[in-house]
Amino acid sequence: MSIAFDETGRPFIIVREQDKKERLKGIEAVKANIAAAKAVSRTLRSSLGPKGMDKMLQNQDGEVTVTNDGATILQQMDLQHQIAKLMVELSKAQDDEIGDGTTGVVVLCGALLERAERLIDHGIHPSRVSEGYETACDLSTELLERISDEITLNDTKLTEMKKVAMTTLNSKIVNRFKDKLADICVSAVLSVADFDRKDVNLDLIKVEGKVGGKLEDTNLVNGILAIDKDFSHPQMPRRVEDAKICILTCPFEPPKPKTKHKLEIDSVEKYKDMQKAEMEYFQDMVKKVKDSGANLVICQWGFDDEANHLLYKAGLPAVRWVGGVEIELIALATGGRIIPRFSEISPEKLGRAGVVKEVHFGTTRDRMIVLEDCAKSKAVTIFVRGGNQMILEEAKRSIHDALCIVRNLVVDNRIVYGGGAAEIACSNYVAEKMHEIPGVEQHAVGAFGEALDSVVMALAENSGLNPIESLGEIKARQANEKNVHLGIDCMGLGESDMKKQNVFESLQSKQKQLQHATQMCRMILKIDDVIQPSQYE
């Protein structure tokens, strides 16, 4: 325990039980933090690029996940070190804001910290290193804006958007079907996009999956799917044309008192009276729905056999136990209003859809309800199929990444070229500009360029190429030919021009990668004192 004395001689405690705490200070603390971040970065390094390796992760319940998505890998890793947890937050920030590039941002941050450690060993203060990194990051983002190309977003020419989605899917397990999945993702985003506001609400795109079938059976439904739902009565029609839908969040049940109650029935007549009153209540509910002009009921809650029978007799097909999220999507897509009580049912509040049908698939007779040609078709569903749950979940993650990238193109329709072309261009530019920067910061600016080269080398290494040779060749060609589209030929097509290979990336994604990695690196370099409780003996 550290004790100091104030001006009157009274003692006060600075840090309680100081001798029982573990403490790292100064350069030791910085180096320990860098070591933790580098360890996480090295784990993801082999997963970078189209030929990157997958990781198999098992959680405490024994569930196995196979993926090369950086955010998923880090979230499922059991990390104890606080700086390692910051790297998880870094990939999560990239995933939340952009949706793709979660592996690249962690690898870049690790490379920046590795170079920073060398500079610190040479006697440069961490604050000067972080200032140099910030300068280099600004130079790189400015260059990316200058070398970016704009793509058209009209409905007739969607080739470039599809190519960007295919580049994202190329590094996933589903890359064999990237052509079809890219088409589905672009169509889904464009069907819900608001081009006036340059915004896309991804909540309107529902990604549902069912084990069975093949990946190529994945399709886009122009409406809503309610998985594992069917019509409540086996004799109700399985298809409703020109559906007028009554969307209810109140149950088909008699009202229940909110306080404790006891009902004593001491004669047959009283029992029959009660049964009759209950029947009239049910009939009144069904009549209100029927009088509104509805020919389909979708209810958030259940209803008993008596209500089910009356609905069938009244010719009202019904679906029960539909979840709250699905109810909201159905209301958005059909233009209907969610009705909380039967007294509020009216024709104006009904939703409309061209066809509502029950679909069976698989040998297990799995069922689902499909709403197609909805009146306000602002909600769509991507229905994913896969041979097992593991493939299905990875396909969903891949589709989510592609949807996010296409969404980013609607917000900002500028692209840069992948395959390390953008990183090499930034590295060459930073190396050219570093000599104009006075002071020791120029060493940090040069180290930033080396870190970008390290990412490209990881890309080449994962593709089975000689990393140093590949990097040197492309850097020299970019400088001599003045062609910033040249990158690593990861797929072995014999063409290094990424524009001809159609390897596109969103400008926003690449800029955010650089900015997020630089900010995280600066934050880690600023920590020079780590105080933590000692381990229990």
Side-chain angles (χ1 to χ4, degrees):
M1 185 163 65
S2 296
I3 297 179
F5 298 89
D6 64 11
E7 63 274 8
T8 61
R10 288 178 299 187
F12 62 90
I13 296 168
I14 298 173
V15 182
R16 189 178 293 276
E17 297 178 340
Q18 174 68 37
D19 56 330
K20 294 185 181 177
K21 293 186 185 294
E22 292 180 359
R23 187 169 184 181
L24 286 171
K25 292 178 73 177
I27 298 300
E28 277 184 25
V30 174
K31 287 195 172 183
N33 293 339
I34 289 174
K38 277 163 57 183
V40 175
S41 174
R42 276 196 297 269
T43 306
L44 291 190
R45 186 181 167 90
S46 61
S47 294
L48 186 69
K51 296 288 182 74
M53 307 299 279
D54 293 340
K55 308 292 182 201
M56 181 182 283
L57 303 136
Q58 184 175 3
N59 65 10
Q60 292 173 339
D61 299 329
E63 293 175 6
V64 174
T65 303
V66 177
T67 182
N68 67 354
D69 180 62
T72 309
I73 293 167
L74 291 180
Q75 279 168 15
Q76 298 211 11
M77 283 171 69
D78 186 17
L79 299 168
Q80 299 299 325
H81 199 282
Q82 294 306 315
I83 297 298
K85 289 178 181 176
L86 282 178
M87 298 296 272
V88 178
E89 292 299 317
L90 171 65
S91 73
K92 190 174 182 298
Q94 179 76 11
D95 194 35
D96 290 345
E97 196 161 339
I98 300 298
D100 191 32
T102 52
T103 307
V105 72
V106 175
V107 172
L108 177 58
C109 186
L112 287 170
L113 288 168
E114 193 174 332
R115 267 66 188 177
E117 189 175 21
R118 292 180 195 170
L119 294 174
I120 291 166
D121 286 340
H122 286 129
I124 299 175
H125 196 275
S127 295
R128 306 297 292 274
V129 175
S130 61
E131 285 167 17
Y133 278 176
E134 187 71 21
T135 305
C137 181
D138 291 341
L139 288 170
S140 299
T141 49
E142 285 169 21
L143 177 73
L144 287 174
E145 287 196 9
R146 289 210 302 273
I147 65 173
S148 63
D149 290 341
E150 283 195 17
I151 62 169
T152 53
L153 293 180
N154 55 33
D155 293 337
T156 54
K157 193 178 178 186
L158 303 171
T159 320
E160 284 90 353
M161 289 186 89
K162 183 182 166 185
K163 286 171 184 172
V164 177
M166 283 169 67
T167 303
T168 302
L169 294 167
N170 208 24
S171 61
K172 312 291 182 187
I173 288 177
V174 298
N175 61 359
R176 287 185 301 131
F177 310 111
K178 62 183 179 184
D179 204 310
K180 182 178 180 182
L181 292 178
D183 265 337
I184 288 171
C185 292
V186 171
S187 302
V189 169
L190 291 181
S191 61
V192 302
D194 184 343
F195 287 106
D196 296 332
R197 291 173 52 221
K198 287 198 168 185
D199 186 36
V200 178
N201 184 1
L202 287 182
D203 291 337
L204 297 175
I205 302 174
K206 196 177 171 198
V207 181
E208 286 286 359
K210 196 76 178 170
V211 174
K214 299 173 288 186
L215 266 174
E216 50 261 54
D217 295 337
T218 300
N219 65 319
L220 179 68
V221 178
N222 192 22
I224 307 295
L225 286 183
I227 298 289
D228 296 330
K229 300 285 181 288
D230 57 356
F231 286 109
S232 58
H233 196 286
Q235 290 177 290
M236 283 178 178
R238 294 290 175 260
R239 184 183 178 92
V240 180
E241 305 271 355
D242 190 23
K244 298 177 184 65
I245 306 165
C246 182
I247 305 165
L248 296 171
T249 54
C250 48
F252 268 94
E253 290 174 358
K256 292 176 182 162
K258 290 192 168 131
T259 54
K260 285 188 179 179
H261 63 285
K262 186 177 180 184
L263 184 64
E264 290 186 3
I265 297 173
D266 53 10
S267 67
V268 175
E269 288 76 19
K270 285 183 180 177
Y271 182 79
K272 285 183 177 176
D273 288 344
M274 187 193 74
Q275 196 176 25
K276 185 182 174 187
E278 193 177 68
M279 178 68 76
E280 284 173 357
Y281 192 84
F282 278 133
Q283 286 171 341
D284 182 50
M285 286 192 293
V286 173
K287 185 174 182 299
K288 282 177 179 171
V289 175
K290 193 76 177 169
D291 290 348
S292 70
N295 57 4
L296 175 67
V297 177
I298 291 179
C299 186
Q300 189 176 8
W301 302 102
F303 33 84
D304 61 18
D305 292 340
E306 195 167 355
N308 204 10
H309 176 72
L310 287 170
L311 284 165
Y312 163 64
K313 283 289 186 189
L316 272 174
V319 183
R320 55 186 165 185
W321 297 118
V322 179
V325 175
E326 288 161 332
I327 283 275
E328 287 178 16
L329 280 172
I330 288 167
L332 276 168
T334 60
R337 297 280 296 278
I338 296 172
I339 303 169
R341 47 186 77 84
F342 284 93
S343 58
E344 295 182 17
I345 296 174
S346 64
E348 303 82 48
K349 293 182 179 178
L350 301 180
R352 283 169 172 74
V355 180
V356 178
K357 59 185 177 182
E358 183 183 302
V359 178
H360 299 260
F361 52 90
T363 54
T364 54
R365 300 291 289 168
D366 288 325
R367 300 180 179 89
M368 65 179 178
I369 299 291
V370 182
L371 291 85
E372 292 180 339
D373 304 326
C374 301
K376 305 261 172 125
S377 190
K378 267 288 188 182
V380 294
T381 306
I382 298 174
F383 184 49
V384 187
R385 304 305 307 279
N388 57 49
Q389 193 64 37
M390 201 165 60
I391 288 287
L392 197 67
E393 292 303 321
E394 181 64 7
K396 281 188 186 178
R397 283 191 288 269
S398 305
I399 287 169
H400 170 263
D401 285 0
L403 288 172
C404 289
I405 282 296
V406 178
R407 184 267 317 267
N408 295 338
L409 289 177
V410 173
V411 176
D412 183 351
N413 64 338
R414 292 174 294 174
I415 57 166
V416 290
Y417 296 91
E423 283 88 349
I424 293 171
C426 289
S427 172
N428 285 346
Y429 183 67
V430 164
E432 186 185 313
K433 289 285 181 184
M434 67 176 280
H435 300 296
E436 298 174 14
I437 296 162
V440 294
E441 283 88 353
Q442 71 170 249
H443 297 288
V445 172
F448 189 93
E450 289 174 19
L452 290 172
D453 289 342
S454 178
V455 175
V456 181
M457 284 171 71
L459 198 61
E461 193 178 332
N462 293 344
S463 304
L465 304 171
N466 184 324
I468 298 171
E469 188 182 323
S470 303
L471 174 67
E473 182 193 341
I474 298 300
K475 282 194 81 166
R477 284 185 61 191
Q478 270 209 22
N480 296 333
E481 298 174 24
K482 306 293 182 193
N483 183 0
V484 292
H485 305 150
L486 296 172
I488 303 293
D489 180 20
C490 300
M491 307 306 290
L493 301 177
E495 176 59 70
S496 297
D497 194 323
M498 295 297 115
K499 191 170 186 177
K500 292 177 183 173
Q501 269 206 36
N502 296 325
V503 181
F504 299 158
E505 287 189 61
S506 157
L507 169 67
Q508 205 179 18
S509 170
K510 192 59 73 179
Q511 284 183 326
K512 291 293 179 189
Q513 272 189 51
L514 295 177
Q515 288 165 353
H516 284 156
T518 306
Q519 291 300 325
M520 179 57 69
C521 188
R522 290 192 69 186
M523 183 173 150
I524 292 170
L525 290 175
K526 296 278 271 186
I527 300 168
D528 76 332
D529 201 346
V530 180
I531 304 170
Q532 57 188 10
S534 61
Q535 299 297 317
Y536 291 111
E537 295 178 0

